[in-house]
């Protein structure tokens, strides 16, 4: 039996990924680019995103299984494990798949020292320059470097840190990236090796004017997928980025409301006037945020409309006032690219729902059929 699916699908835009990668590169022209594809390429699917991102110099991710998938796609270039090994036996996989890996704590050096390998490993030594998540403190960093450089299992040590505030506008000496950058510079000044500091926000905002911050490798993630890391201060249009994911559906019903009629669970929305609403085949079980309030933007036949009523598991409702011609079957763009070239950045939906584009794209549900387009 062949069943017709619900009229919902996600589209991954290959050319947009390639375009966004070029944009990231343009902001850090002499640096190499790690395309960050953790979390299954931020929900896009590594295999689906690969065609668009294969112009990168390397792929950075977290999971050994993700690394395996990138190798299975035929990628022979660098792959970096951003959190390194989680246990000693992961090093065998690193040797077998030729993975570079982050070293952020002492035990990872112990494991390397005990590891038997034909080919020595390339590691990225991570400094905790102030974010206090992963990495050696500045005080411990040089001795970690010395220990690693004495191991026959290690052939190259790159230097890495990660910024907590690269997306903010403050530019005084103690905020934004300034303090962490100063710590990293002072600690690594006499150490050889390539450097990597910049996530998307730092790549777009700080790499162009500062070669030392740019370093040898930048590590953009979110920008590649068409979300502005510093929204709402700046939008994807401001950064010249394009949506890499569209979530689209259709109207499966319409309702004519009289003043005082309410919509959906909890009667969250009450019509103040006679109006027509549409019912969209997309709900929180598809990854649409249940926290989206009345007024969250949505495109119907490419026209900007507002969501009304509470998001339910399989449906959301939308005020059709701006698009009187809408009918059952009309195309609804939850985010991404609409008909006629209309764009609804995922950032606008995320912002309305009090979250970030990252969370929405990563939460795209498995049940949504996903296709790859040019
Ligand atoms: C996720 C991640 C990145 C990419 O961050 P974006 O904000 O998505 O650009 C870069 N570096 C590290 C260490 C990361 O974990």
């Amino acid at each position: 039996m062949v069943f017709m699916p619900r009229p919902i699908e996600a589209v991954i835009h290959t050319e947009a990924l390639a375009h966004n990668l070029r944009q990231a590169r343009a902001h850090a022209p002499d640096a190499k680019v790690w395309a960050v594809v953790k979390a299954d390429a931020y929900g896009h699917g590594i295999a689906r995103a690969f065609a668009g991102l294969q112009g990168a110099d390397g792929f950075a991710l977290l999971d050994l299984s993700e690394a395996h998938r990138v190798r299975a796609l035929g990628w022979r270039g660098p792959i970096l494990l951003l959190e390194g090994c989680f246990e000693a036996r992961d090093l065998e996989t690193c040797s077998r798949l030729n993975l570079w890996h982050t070293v952020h704590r002492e035990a990872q050096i112990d494991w390397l020292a005990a590891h038997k390998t034909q080919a020595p490993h390339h590691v990225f030594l991570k400094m905790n320059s102030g974010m206090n998540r992963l990495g050696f403190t500045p005080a411990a960093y040089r001795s970690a470097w010395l220990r690693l450089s004495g191991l026959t299992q290690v052939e190259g040590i790159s230097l890495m840190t990660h910024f907590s505030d690269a997306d903010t506008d403050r530019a005084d000496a103690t905020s934004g990236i300034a303090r962490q950058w100063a710590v990293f510079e002072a600690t690594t000044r006499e150490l050889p090796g390539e450097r990597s500091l910049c996530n998307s926000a730092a790549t777009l905002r700080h790499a162009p004017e500062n070669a030392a911050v740019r370093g040898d490798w930048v590590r953009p993630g979110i920008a590649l997928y068409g979300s502005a890391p510093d929204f709402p201060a700046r939008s994807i249009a401001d950064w010249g980025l394009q949506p890499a994911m569209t979530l689209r559906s259709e109207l499966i019903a319409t309702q004519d409301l009289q003043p005082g009629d309410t919509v959906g669970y909890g009667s969250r929305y009450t019509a103040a006037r006679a109006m027509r609403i549409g019912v969209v085949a997309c709900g929180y079980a598809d990854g649409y945020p249940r926290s989206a309030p009345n007024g969250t933007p949505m495109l119907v036949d490419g026209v900007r409309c507002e969501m009304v009523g509470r998001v339910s598991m399989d449906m959301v409702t939308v005020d059709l006032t701006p698009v009187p011609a809408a009918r059952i079957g009309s195309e609804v763009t939850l985010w991404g690219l609409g008909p006629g070239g209309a764009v609804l950045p995922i950032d606008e939906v995320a912002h309305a729902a009090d979250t970030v584009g990252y969370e929405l794209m990563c939460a795209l549900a498995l049940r949504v059929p996903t296709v790859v387009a040019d």
Side-chain angles (χ1 to χ4, degrees), residues 17 52 61 64 89 101 133 155-156 159 168 176 181 198 208 233 249 267 329 348 371:
L17 289 164
L61 39 75
L64 291 174
R89 64 172 181 185
H101 47 101
R133 228 170 40 172
E155 68 165 358
L159 316 177
T168 58
W181 183 53
C198 293
S249 183
S267 301
E348 293 193 31
V371 298

Side-chain angles (χ1 to χ4, degrees), residues 307-368:
M307 201 198 78
V308 292
R310 197 173 275 169
V311 176
S312 41
M313 183 183 286
D314 312 304
M315 288 174 266
V316 290
T317 32
V318 58
D319 178 358
L320 295 177
T321 306
V323 50
R327 50 180 173 75
I328 290 171
S330 283
E331 181 169 338
V332 178
T333 309
L334 287 313
W335 59 68
L337 226 54
V343 174
L344 177 58
I346 196 169
D347 296 326
E348 293 193 31
V349 181
H351 191 66
D354 203 18
T355 182
V356 286
Y358 298 77
E359 186 174 353
L360 297 192
M361 51 180 77
C362 289
L364 179 72
L366 270 175
R367 80 172 187 182
V368 177

Side-chain angles (χ1 to χ4, degrees), residues 200-221:
S200 294
T203 301
L204 295 175
R205 296 163 54 92
H206 300 290
E209 78 273 14
N210 188 330
V213 166
R214 192 149 75 229
D216 301 284
W217 288 90
V218 291
R219 309 188 304 269

Side-chain angles (χ1 to χ4, degrees), residues 11-82:
V11 184
I12 307 305
H13 304 287
T14 302
E15 190 41 54
L17 289 164
H19 168 87
N20 295 340
L21 177 62
R22 287 192 296 271
Q23 282 299 97
R25 217 183 256 298
H27 284 79
D30 48 1
K32 291 173 277 188
V33 179
W34 290 114
V36 179
V37 294
K38 63 193 181 190
D40 205 13
Y42 291 48
H44 294 64
I46 285 178
R48 294 186 200 107
F50 184 73
L53 296 177
Q54 60 186 329
D57 299 290
F59 288 91
L61 39 75
L62 298 188
D63 243 66
L64 291 174
S65 67
E66 290 179 337
H68 191 268
R69 278 149 64 203
V70 174
R71 284 284 180 247
L73 288 163
W75 179 255
R76 298 188 167 198
I79 295 178
L80 174 63
L81 298 177
L82 287 165

Side-chain angles (χ1 to χ4, degrees), residues 36 38 42 60 62 82-83 102 126 133-134 160-163 196-203 218-225 229 358:
V36 179
K38 63 193 181 190
Y42 291 48
L62 298 188
L82 287 165
E83 296 180 358
T102 298
K126 183 139 185 197
R133 228 170 40 172
L134 299 184
M160 170 160 81
T161 196
H162 191 57
F163 294 126
S196 178
L197 298 87
C198 293
N199 59 1
S200 294
T203 301
V218 291
R219 309 188 304 269
I222 194 70
L224 303 179
Y225 304 102
Y358 298 77

Side-chain angles (χ1 to χ4, degrees), residues 180-247:
Q180 283 185 268
W181 183 53
V183 167
F184 184 81
E185 278 292 294
T187 312
T188 60
R189 191 166 295 138
E190 280 132 43
L191 295 178
E194 293 189 324
R195 279 130 221 271
S196 178
L197 298 87
C198 293
N199 59 1
S200 294
T203 301
L204 295 175
R205 296 163 54 92
H206 300 290
E209 78 273 14
N210 188 330
V213 166
R214 192 149 75 229
D216 301 284
W217 288 90
V218 291
R219 309 188 304 269
I222 194 70
L224 303 179
Y225 304 102
S227 167
D230 50 0
F231 189 86
R234 290 191 190 76
S235 67
I236 52 169
D238 295 333
W239 289 122
L241 302 170
Q242 300 171 359
M245 177 195 287
T246 292
L247 178 60

